[in-house]
Amino acid sequence: MTGNRRPTIKTVAARAGVGRTTVSRVVNGSELVSADARERVLAAIKELNYVPNSVARGLVTNRTNAVALVIPESESRLGSEPFFAALIRGVSGALAVSRTQLQLMLVRDQAERDQLTESVATRRVDGVLLVSVHSEDRLPGMLEEMGLPTVLAGRRDAGERLSYVNSDNAGGAAAAVRHLLGGGRRRVATITGPLDMDVGRSRLAGWHAAHREAGVPAEELLVEAGDFTEEGGACAMRLLLERAPDLDAVFAASDLMAVGALAELRRQRRQVPKDVAVVGFEDSVLARHTNPPLTTVRQPVEELGRTMARILTDITQHGAPRQQLTLPTELVVRESS
């Protein structure tokens, strides 16, 4: 060979005097190769110091050994929300075990949606992990129609057809509000997630359920929609205080929104938890560093990512059926409540 270019399957095939499919069959241990051809391919691999890649394996297995993690959010959301970092750690760690490549794809506009469609249509990936699922998002339906194995983080609704891994959003929210009501709070507001997402609706359902259990009226004026951002949490807290200045607790459907709520409460000189108790959801790294430290609902985000990757691997490599799992949550009590 000349230069320092890495040898390819084509180089090996030429050196061994066989076709590329034969090289791929040898690489993948197929028995559909003569002993003579196998010996020549192995000798060429050794001589060229060839390292098989996913494309070579794909000629026989019809797999690329690559999956896409699709996040239909902006770079700013990806960088600011601890949820995404923890999820990516879980996914990448699980895929590393099976030597599967991870392609991170942000889908923010039609051009990037078209790029994803092309990747799916040409089978550049074996499957898709899809995050931030909104009820009206056309991506899950498109992937289902194209027959590409897909696993969702969360679900579109209770009748979801695709594989998914979810947290016990309603149960975790109910535990948070039960804790507040059990501590003597009587006007417990909530800052919801986006209500076009099952996660937002489910955490709101948990707020309602805890009020029913306690026999305390769930006042609709104590509900304000948020968007899982710090700014959204602060804005929602401000609106809630305008409508109900005597509220004495708030359950925010994410830690980041709880951080925004805490900032707004400080701005309005409300003491936490003396005047207003605050509970978040996720137990991200933020929760331990707020002032005061945040009571929150722990959801196992890295485990969620690992489980999504495992389910997708089971489907793509072993033909496993659809799986739909819900992971437990746990209330972590700190000084904010």
Side-chain angles (χ1 to χ4, degrees), residues 189-258:
T190 184
I191 301 172
T192 76
L195 295 178
D196 66 339
M197 300 178 73
D198 180 78
V199 59
R201 296 190 299 272
S202 293
R203 292 177 188 176
L204 176 58
W207 178 84
H208 278 286
H211 278 84
R212 284 196 303 272
E213 289 175 19
V216 177
E219 304 173 66
E220 289 305 316
L221 63 83
L222 294 177
V223 177
E224 185 62 40
D227 59 1
F228 288 145
T229 68
E230 182 177 350
E231 296 78 9
C235 178
M237 189 73 253
R238 184 163 58 253
L239 293 171
L240 286 167
L241 289 169
E242 288 174 1
R243 290 202 301 267
D246 61 339
L247 65 83
D248 56 8
V250 60
F251 163 60
S254 77
D255 286 353
L256 202 55
M257 291 195 299

Side-chain angles (χ1 to χ4, degrees), residues 21-74:
T21 300
T22 299
V23 175
S24 187
R25 284 174 175 160
V26 171
V27 166
N28 287 278
S30 171
E31 297 180 357
L32 302 176
V33 183
S34 69
D36 177 63
R38 186 184 305 279
E39 287 180 10
R40 283 186 283 135
V41 169
L42 291 174
I45 287 174
K46 183 176 180 181
E47 182 181 346
L48 296 170
N49 195 27
Y50 169 68
V51 178
N53 60 26
S54 60
V55 175
R57 289 192 296 270
L59 289 176
V60 167
T61 64
N62 198 32
R63 294 203 307 267
T64 63
N65 281 346
V67 301
L69 175 59
V70 178
I71 303 178
E73 300 286 358
S74 65

Side-chain angles (χ1 to χ4, degrees), residues 70-73 77 81 83-84 130-134 137 153 197:
V70 178
I71 303 178
E73 300 286 358
R77 290 289 294 272
E81 295 189 26
F83 173 86
F84 293 120
L130 183 57
V131 184
S132 291
V133 182
H134 295 258
D137 193 338
M197 300 178 73

Side-chain angles (χ1 to χ4, degrees), residues 12-325:
V12 173
R15 181 63 59 92
V18 298
R20 285 181 290 175
T21 300
T22 299
V23 175
S24 187
R25 284 174 175 160
V26 171
V27 166
N28 287 278
S30 171
E31 297 180 357
L32 302 176
V33 183
S34 69
D36 177 63
R38 186 184 305 279
E39 287 180 10
R40 283 186 283 135
V41 169
L42 291 174
I45 287 174
K46 183 176 180 181
E47 182 181 346
L48 296 170
N49 195 27
Y50 169 68
V51 178
N53 60 26
S54 60
V55 175
R57 289 192 296 270
L59 289 176
V60 167
T61 64
N62 198 32
R63 294 203 307 267
T64 63
N65 281 346
V67 301
L69 175 59
V70 178
I71 303 178
E73 300 286 358
S74 65
E75 298 102 320
S76 59
R77 290 289 294 272
L78 188 65
S80 64
E81 295 189 26
F83 173 86
F84 293 120
L87 185 86
I88 292 170
R89 282 197 303 272
V91 168
S92 60
L95 292 178
V97 174
S98 60
R99 298 187 180 278
T100 301
Q101 293 180 327
L102 176 62
Q103 298 180 12
L104 178 61
M105 301 182 70
L106 300 184
V107 179
R108 297 156 293 191
D109 54 31
Q110 189 57 46
E112 290 176 339
R113 187 179 293 268
D114 292 342
Q115 182 182 1
L116 173 61
T117 303
E118 182 183 356
S119 293
V120 170
T122 56
R123 285 301 193 266
R124 294 179 196 165
V125 293
D126 296 327
V128 168
L129 302 166
L130 183 57
V131 184
S132 291
V133 182
H134 295 258
S135 298
E136 301 305 316
D137 193 338
R138 292 181 292 124
L139 273 177
M142 180 195 80
L143 296 168
E144 186 178 20
E145 289 173 8
M146 300 181 83
L148 190 73
T150 301
V151 180
L152 308 180
R155 60 188 187 180
R156 287 169 287 181
D157 52 49
E160 182 60 71
R161 299 180 302 274
L162 295 171
S163 294
Y164 67 77
V165 183
N166 205 14
S167 295
D168 182 9
N169 293 304
V177 179
R178 198 179 295 124
H179 164 71
L180 291 167
L181 293 171
R185 309 289 171 160
R186 281 296 170 262
R187 299 205 77 193
V188 181
T190 184
I191 301 172
T192 76
L195 295 178
D196 66 339
M197 300 178 73
D198 180 78
V199 59
R201 296 190 299 272
S202 293
R203 292 177 188 176
L204 176 58
W207 178 84
H208 278 286
H211 278 84
R212 284 196 303 272
E213 289 175 19
V216 177
E219 304 173 66
E220 289 305 316
L221 63 83
L222 294 177
V223 177
E224 185 62 40
D227 59 1
F228 288 145
T229 68
E230 182 177 350
E231 296 78 9
C235 178
M237 189 73 253
R238 184 163 58 253
L239 293 171
L240 286 167
L241 289 169
E242 288 174 1
R243 290 202 301 267
D246 61 339
L247 65 83
D248 56 8
V250 60
F251 163 60
S254 77
D255 286 353
L256 202 55
M257 291 195 299
V259 169
L262 287 169
E264 181 61 24
L265 288 166
R266 277 195 302 274
R267 194 182 71 81
Q268 299 204 23
R269 293 181 170 76
R270 303 292 184 98
Q271 294 184 44
V272 177
K274 180 181 177 182
D275 300 327
V276 181
V278 179
V279 178
F281 200 115
E282 188 178 332
D283 195 28
S284 65
V285 65
L286 295 173
R288 294 182 292 281
H289 298 288
T290 57
N291 182 24
L294 183 67
T295 294
T296 185
V297 178
R298 178 179 294 154
Q299 64 169 344
V301 181
E302 284 196 43
E303 178 61 24
L304 191 149
R306 285 193 294 270
T307 305
M308 289 176 66
R310 177 184 59 75
I311 290 175
L312 189 60
T313 299
D314 286 347
I315 294 171
T316 59
Q317 297 187 8
H318 309 296
R322 179 189 68 180
Q323 296 185 53
Q324 298 181 336
L325 299 178

